[in-house]
Amino acid sequence: MDLIINQSWLSTGSSGGMAAIEVPISAAYTVMYIDHSTLATTQSFSYQSAKESTGPWFIEGSTQISTAVSTRFSLRVTGPVGSFVRPYLHTASTGLYNVQLIGVG
């Protein structure tokens, strides 16, 4: 298996979807990590995919991010995802969020 995706995003806590990226169809396994530095409240986060960059978007996985500082969460997807993927923060919050997507094929 070769590393074929290594994409990072940075959010300041705005709600909504971050910039979508196109992923190769050969991505057999992907994992989306999210780290936060300072979080005032619990945040809902999801890993979304779509056939086109404009949607409609489907949730591949989601998690609640606790208020613990400097914690890393991961969402793993086995098998191919849609042609485009993005991270999505469901509510506005304070703090910085670092998101990384790694995929192998």
Side-chain angles (χ1 to χ4, degrees):
M1 298 238 157
D2 295 322
L3 178 67
I4 58 174
I5 305 167
N6 189 1
Q7 171 71 36
S8 296
W9 294 266
L10 176 64
S11 172
T12 57
S14 298
S15 62
M18 295 182 210
I21 64 161
E22 190 169 6
V23 296
I25 196 158
S26 58
Y29 303 97
T30 58
V31 60
M32 188 172 281
Y33 295 104
I34 182 166
D35 303 299
H36 60 85
S37 57
T38 55
L39 177 62
T41 59
T42 299
Q43 173 66 269
S44 179
F45 172 78
S46 64
Y47 173 1
Q48 298 183 339
S49 71
K51 184 177 176 182
E52 304 201 8
S53 63
T54 55
W57 293 95
F58 300 95
I59 296 174
E60 297 287 348
S62 64
T63 190
Q64 292 288 320
I65 303 168
S66 71
T67 56
V69 175
S70 299
T71 303
R72 176 170 259 208
F73 297 87
S74 67
L75 295 169
R76 298 174 193 278
V77 175
T78 302
V81 294
S83 299
F84 293 86
V85 299
R86 70 179 184 182
Y88 191 95
L89 293 170
H90 291 272
T91 55
S93 182
T94 59
L96 295 176
Y97 297 82
N98 294 299
V99 182
Q100 181 182 23
L101 177 69
I102 295 175
V104 295

